[in-house]
Amino acid sequence: MTSDEEILAELRKIRESVEKAAPPQPPPKQNLWNEFKEFLSKYKIFGLAIAFIIGMYLGILIQALVKDLLLPAIGLLIPGLDNLAEGTVIAGSQVFAYGDFLVALFTFALVALLVFIAVKVAKRWGVE
């Protein structure tokens, strides 16, 4: 009998504590602008967008550097080569434009090198 009374007493305590607890408050309403700012700060989307835009234009800049300056200079240094950026090989009726590939290859290598250097500098400065 005492165990039943103890169980009933414990159940009464539980009921009292549940009835005394206030219902959870709904989250405060936010307007669209505040929600947008919270989203940007939480996921760092703004920084990602800026990095994407800068990276895209950096790639275009380096591609112009490679196509218009670097490969023609290499073509001048090696006797018998024309502008490597416009290089083609004709095999049968097919034209293989290896110049575009060289432009893309050199552009990728330079962009990768610059990104590597930027990451190293950012780590040295403590930027995350």
Side-chain angles (χ1 to χ4, degrees), residues 20 67 89 91 102 105:
K20 288 181 184 177
K67 186 175 184 179
V89 172
L102 288 177
L105 181 68

Side-chain angles (χ1 to χ4, degrees), residues 6-21:
E6 291 173 358
I7 293 172
L8 286 175
E10 190 66 33
L11 288 173
R12 284 188 194 107
K13 288 179 187 177
I14 292 172
R15 181 194 292 165
E16 288 174 5
S17 65
V18 169
E19 288 175 353
K20 288 181 184 177

Side-chain angles (χ1 to χ4, degrees), residues 66-78 83-84:
V66 168
K67 186 175 184 179
D68 297 331
L69 296 175
L70 186 65
L71 288 181
I74 292 172
L76 285 175
L77 293 175
I78 301 173
N83 185 356
L84 289 176

Side-chain angles (χ1 to χ4, degrees), residues 4 6 12 35 46-47 54 56 59 82 88-89 101 119 128:
D4 289 338
E6 291 173 358
R12 284 188 194 107
E35 285 184 54
F46 192 64
I54 290 173
M56 183 177 68
D82 290 333
T88 59
V89 172
F101 176 74
V119 168
E128 292 184 26

Side-chain angles (χ1 to χ4, degrees), residues 96-113:
F96 295 94
Y98 64 86
D100 291 335
F101 176 74
L102 288 177
V103 169
L105 181 68
F106 278 98
T107 301
F108 172 76
L110 285 175
V111 168
L113 177 67

Side-chain angles (χ1 to χ4, degrees), residues 33-75:
W33 179 248
N34 288 338
E35 285 184 54
F36 182 66
K37 288 193 307 187
E38 181 181 334
F39 171 76
L40 289 179
S41 65
K42 183 176 180 181
Y43 296 107
K44 299 181 178 161
I45 299 295
F46 192 64
L48 181 64
I50 290 173
F52 176 77
I53 291 168
I54 290 173
M56 183 177 68
Y57 283 104
L58 176 67
I60 292 170
L61 177 69
I62 291 176
Q63 183 177 8
L65 172 78
V66 168
K67 186 175 184 179
D68 297 331
L69 296 175
L70 186 65
L71 288 181
I74 292 172

